[in-house]
Amino acid sequence: MQDTSADNDVINLLVTIDSNYLPALITMLRSYISVHPSDKTNLYIAHSSLTQKDFSILEKETEGSGVTVLPVKIEHNYFSDTPVLERLPEESFYRLLAFDFLPDSVERCLYLDPDIYILKPLHSLYNIDLGENMIAAGSHLHGFLNILSKTRIGGVEHSRYVNSGVLLIDVAKIRQSCTVEEVLSLIKKNLQRLILGDQDMINILFSGKIFIFDERIYNLDEKSYNYYNKNFGFDFDGVKSVTAIIHYNGKYKPWLEDYKGVLNAFYPEIKEKKGKPDRSLKKQVKAIWKIVKPDKKQALTIATVLIFLLAMLICYIISGKEMAKIVTEPDLLRGWLEQFGAFDEMIFILIRAVQTVFKFIPAEPLEIGSGYVWGAVPGMFYCVIGNMLGTLVIFALTKKLGKKLINTLFPRNDKKIIDTFNKSTHIYWLLFFLYLIPGSPKDGLTYFVALTPVKKFPFMLLTFIARLPSVFSSTICGEVASEGQYALSLIILLITIVLAALGGLIYHSYSKKKAKQLDSTEIK
């Protein structure tokens, strides 16, 4: 392949297409040449199926301009096992590997989808100062849709989910930090997230390393036009004034019938349009299902979680309200337990264990009821013994269901506490402190701890001790109430609530501080 990219004044363009998009590419090239009539340009075309005849047509189109057509045939089927190919062509993924197949002398290139039209010169785009970023891109999403798209792919550090139709790529910088194997491994890891294929991967791969440019200028589509027109009065005069690139993305194209939108007014007139776009919802849903469908292990986990939640719901419907009433009224609790005779303590301990795991029974009233029935010290020990049994169940559930369940149940910042445990050199002292604080989410923490290398029985011993003061403050409240000292009981209860609130604030402040420390030490 001829390499003419060593010239510092050359513009390196990249497109990745199959033969279906050849006519669109020709129109895009004509628009590029019309605003860059003499600019020296290397046009790299990454493909797997174009013919010599196709390239002869392209060379004829660029004849007399500064554009040199440079074919790059991709021989290897890197993405053949990617389910998204049901919806998108394999060629769309090639831009992810531009750092590998472009000549070493290419340090920067501008990727353009063929379904765009260029209205103004692109020098200012091509010469953007990327700083520490690896690519520059625009976004077509705002507000909730932007948040939803970022969340769908597991969250990204840049402010907006970007569109991949126009990309300024720092090829040299990416070469220094990526390998083909790493990119393919990341694709494999995220296969079920890639509903939008390479675009999702670009947002994942370059998380926190994307310069966001103004899409009104360099990547305007119908969605963005509608948004800016409605909210900022951006109209056709604005397009004519500032827009350099219009992107006809999505299924509606200017060369197809039934175009939806207004920006086709800027596209050359098409005398003989092709058929209507495929609107088959069933086909789209089927294709998306092939991407996101769970494997056998995931299906088993999901089924287990659903059964678990269903069991909780059934328990609550059958006995939850009644149980809640019993544990919030100590006299009822005492009367209810008496029917079990010598097994009343055992039944209470089992109830406490269930409450630790499932949380559909409130904890504090149960502790107060325990003190009311048996006294402060015995009631305290029965509660904590129940906690320990529940802890064993939590460890078993977490080991069985794995980290994926925790990821779905708890917020991202809360999950960072796992990293705090893993990185702490005094992990057991840290755990003792957290379980000692009144108001800290002790049972929720246990789910996290079960994912760390912490040994089960040392953990249970230290948390047994650490839980005692907090539980004791509740059981002594119950004991005082059983003696008719309601004023004193109320004072103790209020003190307990205040301590729990203060403890909750201390825990929140501590966990937030640790999360920030972890954020500052993460490799960007």
Side-chain angles (χ1 to χ4, degrees):
M1 179 180 68
Q2 181 185 3
D3 179 12
T4 60
S5 58
D7 190 337
N8 291 330
D9 295 327
V10 72
I11 296 175
N12 296 307
L13 296 184
L14 171 65
V15 296
T16 61
I17 67 165
D18 59 19
S19 58
N20 293 323
Y21 269 86
L22 190 61
L25 175 58
I26 290 172
T27 302
M28 186 266 277
L29 277 177
R30 289 173 181 172
S31 70
Y32 175 85
I33 293 171
S34 70
V35 294
H36 304 84
S38 57
D39 285 315
K40 190 174 181 181
T41 303
N42 289 333
L43 174 61
Y44 295 95
I45 301 179
H47 72 100
S48 61
S49 59
L50 295 185
T51 65
Q52 184 57 50
K53 181 180 178 180
D54 295 329
F55 283 105
S56 296
I57 294 172
L58 292 172
E59 287 169 1
K60 186 176 180 180
E61 287 289 338
T62 58
E63 203 172 87
S65 71
V67 176
T68 301
V69 177
L70 299 168
V72 182
K73 186 166 186 179
I74 309 298
E75 302 283 357
H76 195 282
N77 295 326
Y78 292 106
F79 311 106
S80 58
D81 294 330
T82 308
V84 78
L85 298 184
E86 295 273 341
R87 303 181 67 234
L88 300 168
E90 181 173 352
E91 285 79 4
S92 66
F93 279 81
Y94 291 166
R95 74 195 89 175
L96 294 169
L97 303 181
F99 66 90
D100 182 66
F101 61 70
L102 289 177
D104 292 342
S105 54
V106 175
E107 296 186 349
R108 171 177 290 216
C109 77
L110 178 61
Y111 170 83
L112 299 174
D113 269 354
D115 56 353
I116 71 170
Y117 197 76
I118 301 168
L119 303 178
K120 289 181 172 57
L122 305 181
H123 303 104
S124 55
L125 171 60
Y126 192 79
N127 293 307
I128 284 176
D129 182 4
L130 289 173
E132 295 299 315
N133 297 300
M134 294 185 179
I135 67 171
S139 176
H140 296 155
L141 301 179
H142 304 84
F144 173 75
L145 289 177
N146 179 56
I147 295 171
L148 180 64
S149 294
K150 290 174 62 176
T151 303
R152 177 178 58 78
I153 59 174
V156 292
E157 295 178 31
H158 43 277
S159 59
R160 298 176 68 191
Y161 176 91
V162 299
N163 176 265
S164 60
V166 179
L167 301 172
L168 179 65
I169 304 173
D170 191 326
V171 183
K173 194 175 294 179
I174 296 173
R175 281 195 188 106
Q176 295 174 0
S177 60
C178 289
T179 65
V180 172
E181 290 73 22
E182 288 171 344
V183 173
L184 297 178
S185 175
L186 196 59
I187 290 175
K188 185 176 181 180
K189 180 180 178 181
N190 290 279
L191 276 181
Q192 291 172 312
R193 301 180 189 272
L194 305 184
I195 295 174
L196 297 181
D198 65 292
Q199 182 167 285
D200 287 336
M201 268 306 305
I202 284 167
N203 280 272
I204 294 169
L205 183 61
F206 301 114
S207 177
K209 296 294 183 181
I210 300 180
F211 177 93
I212 311 292
F213 56 61
D214 190 337
E215 64 267 29
R216 288 173 294 179
I217 302 175
Y218 298 124
N219 196 349
L220 182 70
D221 74 340
E222 291 287 356
K223 189 180 298 181
S224 295
Y225 178 77
N226 289 336
Y227 173 81
Y228 287 108
N229 179 259
K230 180 180 179 181
N231 295 285
F232 302 99
F234 184 74
D235 55 13
F236 270 22
D237 288 336
V239 177
K240 294 173 183 177
S241 174
V242 304
T243 301
I245 295 176
I246 297 179
H247 187 186
Y248 298 95
N249 58 350
K251 60 184 176 182
Y252 296 105
K253 307 294 185 184
W255 57 87
L256 298 178
E257 295 177 357
D258 286 356
Y259 180 82
K260 303 295 183 183
V262 297
L263 294 180
N264 61 331
F266 294 92
Y267 203 79
E269 183 180 355
I270 306 295
K271 293 182 180 180
E272 295 183 7
K273 293 190 176 185
K274 296 182 180 180
K276 299 177 182 179
D278 184 0
R279 299 173 183 168
S280 172
L281 178 61
K282 181 179 179 181
K283 182 178 179 181
Q284 290 295 315
V285 170
K286 185 177 179 181
I288 291 173
W289 172 248
K290 285 188 177 182
I291 298 168
V292 302
K293 68 178 181 180
D295 57 29
K296 290 183 179 179
K297 184 177 179 181
Q298 291 170 331
L300 180 61
T301 300
I302 292 171
T304 303
V305 171
L306 291 175
I307 293 171
F308 171 74
L309 294 175
L310 181 62
M312 287 181 61
L313 179 62
I314 292 172
C315 287
Y316 181 78
I317 291 172
I318 294 174
S319 60
K321 291 182 179 179
E322 182 181 349
M323 185 64 68
K325 183 178 180 181
I326 289 173
V327 300
T328 53
E329 298 183 27
D331 281 328
L332 286 178
L333 177 64
R334 174 183 284 169
W336 184 76
L337 287 170
E338 285 177 353
Q339 65 180 306
F340 298 104
F343 298 99
D344 56 349
E345 293 94 342
M346 184 183 299
I347 296 299
F348 177 84
I349 289 171
L350 290 175
I351 292 172
R352 176 66 169 181
V354 170
Q355 180 273 324
T356 300
V357 178
F358 296 142
K359 307 303 291 182
F360 63 84
I361 302 172
E364 297 302 324
L366 196 61
E367 293 171 358
I368 293 172
S370 177
Y372 189 93
V373 174
W374 292 291
V377 175
M380 173 188 67
F381 279 107
Y382 296 151
C383 285
V384 178
I385 290 170
N387 278 140
M388 295 302 100
L389 289 177
T391 296
L392 286 173
V393 175
I394 289 174
F395 264 79
L397 282 173
T398 305
K399 297 297 183 184
K400 181 69 175 177
L401 300 179
K403 191 173 182 178
K404 288 185 179 180
L405 174 62
I406 304 303
N407 288 339
T408 62
L409 295 179
F410 294 94
R412 180 175 178 269
N413 287 337
D414 285 349
K415 293 199 292 284
K416 286 187 176 182
I417 199 67
I418 298 174
D419 296 322
T420 303
F421 294 152
N422 286 330
K423 294 180 180 181
S424 174
T425 55
H426 304 289
I427 185 169
Y428 289 103
W429 283 111
L430 171 61
L431 288 170
F432 184 84
F433 165 72
L434 292 176
Y435 279 79
L436 184 65
I437 300 174
S440 64
K442 300 175 179 61
D443 299 327
L445 278 175
T446 304
Y447 280 93
F448 292 125
V449 174
L451 297 174
T452 71
V454 168
K455 294 182 179 180
K456 185 190 307 180
F457 291 106
F459 165 74
M460 292 182 65
L461 177 61
L462 71 89
T463 55
F464 180 91
I465 298 170
R467 283 177 182 267
L468 292 176
S470 175
V471 177
F472 182 72
S473 66
S474 297
T475 56
I476 196 172
C477 178
E479 180 179 7
V480 171
S482 71
E483 296 171 356
Q485 302 181 53
Y486 299 112
L488 179 58
S489 177
L490 179 61
I491 292 172
I492 295 172
L493 178 60
L494 291 174
I495 293 173
T496 301
I497 292 172
V498 170
L499 289 175
L502 290 174
L505 290 173
I506 292 171
Y507 170 77
H508 178 73
S509 175
Y510 175 82
S511 59
K512 188 175 181 180
K513 178 181 176 182
K514 284 297 181 181
K516 285 183 177 180
Q517 289 176 355
L518 287 169
D519 277 338
S520 65
T521 58
E522 285 177 353
I523 299 174
K524 303 296 184 184

